[in-house]
Amino acid sequence: MSPDPSPTPLDVMVHSGPADWWVILAGLGPLAVLIAALLAFYINWRTLKQRTTADRKALEQKREADARALEQKTEADSRAEWWRRTQWALDRALDGDEGTKALGLATLEVLARSELARTEELELFDIAWQSVAGEENGDGFDQEGAPAFMDGDANLGENGTTDENNTREVGP
C-alpha cells in the first residue's frame, strides 16, 4: 500500500497578534534564574568578606590579649622572684654575723636599684636599712640631721632610686 494524500486540505493558521503574558513570563524564566543566582553569589561574597574581617579582628584581639597576659605573668613571676631574693637578703641583713649582715645589706642595695622595686618596698628598705645599718653606723641621721635613708631625694637613677655617683659601700 502506498500512502495517499489526505482527501481534505490542511489549513495552517498563524497568529500575528500580541503573545499572552504567560508565554512571555515563561520566556523570561532563565533570565530570572540567572539574576537570582547572581544576587545569591553577591550576598554570599559580602557575608564571607564580613566574616573574614570579623575573624581577623577577633584573632588580632586574642593575640593582643594573650601577649598582655604573658607580659603580666612574666612580670608577676619576676616580681615573685625579686621578692624571694629580697626575703633572703633581709634574713642575711638581720643575721648576727657581721659578714653575713654586710652581704645581706649589699644585696638589698642592689635589689633596690631594680626596676621591679616599687615605692612601698623601697620605703621598707629604707626602714630596714635604718634599723640595721643605723645602729652600727651611729644614730641613724646624716650630716644635716635628716634621717639617714638608703636612698635620698637626690638619687635619680633609671627607676628613681639611686645613681652611680650616690651608691654606698656596705661592709664592717
Side-chain angles (χ1 to χ4, degrees):
M1 249 184 69
S2 70
D4 290 331
S6 82
T8 59
L10 185 61
D11 290 332
V12 177
M13 297 175 78
V14 177
H15 294 280
S16 61
D20 292 326
W21 64 271
W22 63 83
V23 175
I24 296 172
L25 186 61
L28 293 177
L31 180 62
V33 169
L34 178 64
I35 290 173
L38 290 174
L39 183 62
F41 173 78
Y42 177 74
I43 291 171
N44 287 332
W45 177 72
R46 292 291 295 173
T47 302
L48 181 64
K49 187 175 177 182
Q50 185 271 335
R51 280 188 184 172
T52 304
T53 304
D55 289 346
R56 185 180 307 117
K57 286 182 181 179
L59 184 61
E60 288 173 5
Q61 289 174 350
K62 184 178 180 337
R63 286 181 182 163
E64 290 173 4
D66 289 347
R68 279 192 305 271
L70 180 62
E71 184 179 322
Q72 289 173 351
K73 183 185 180 320
T74 302
E75 183 178 351
D77 290 347
S78 297
R79 285 203 32 80
E81 181 64 22
W82 179 89
W83 185 246
R84 189 186 65 76
R85 291 175 182 168
T86 301
Q87 288 174 327
W88 179 89
L90 285 169
D91 289 342
R92 298 306 172 269
L94 296 174
D95 194 275
D97 180 46
E98 292 300 317
T100 305
K101 183 184 280 189
L103 175 64
L105 292 174
T107 305
L108 283 175
E109 188 165 350
V110 170
L111 289 169
R113 287 190 220 120
S114 171
E115 292 179 5
L116 298 172
R118 294 185 178 159
T119 305
E120 303 87 24
E121 293 150 347
L122 293 176
E123 290 174 7
L124 290 173
F125 279 8
D126 288 341
I127 292 168
W129 186 269
Q130 188 178 24
S131 67
V132 173
E135 293 172 0
E136 75 179 37
N137 291 339
D139 59 0
F141 292 92
D142 64 9
Q143 296 167 350
E144 290 91 27
F149 292 106
M150 184 168 66
D151 294 321
D153 292 336
N155 299 338
L156 299 175
E158 285 183 13
N159 60 2
T161 59
T162 187
D163 64 8
E164 292 176 3
N165 296 330
N166 292 320
T167 57
R168 295 190 181 126
E169 189 172 321
V170 179

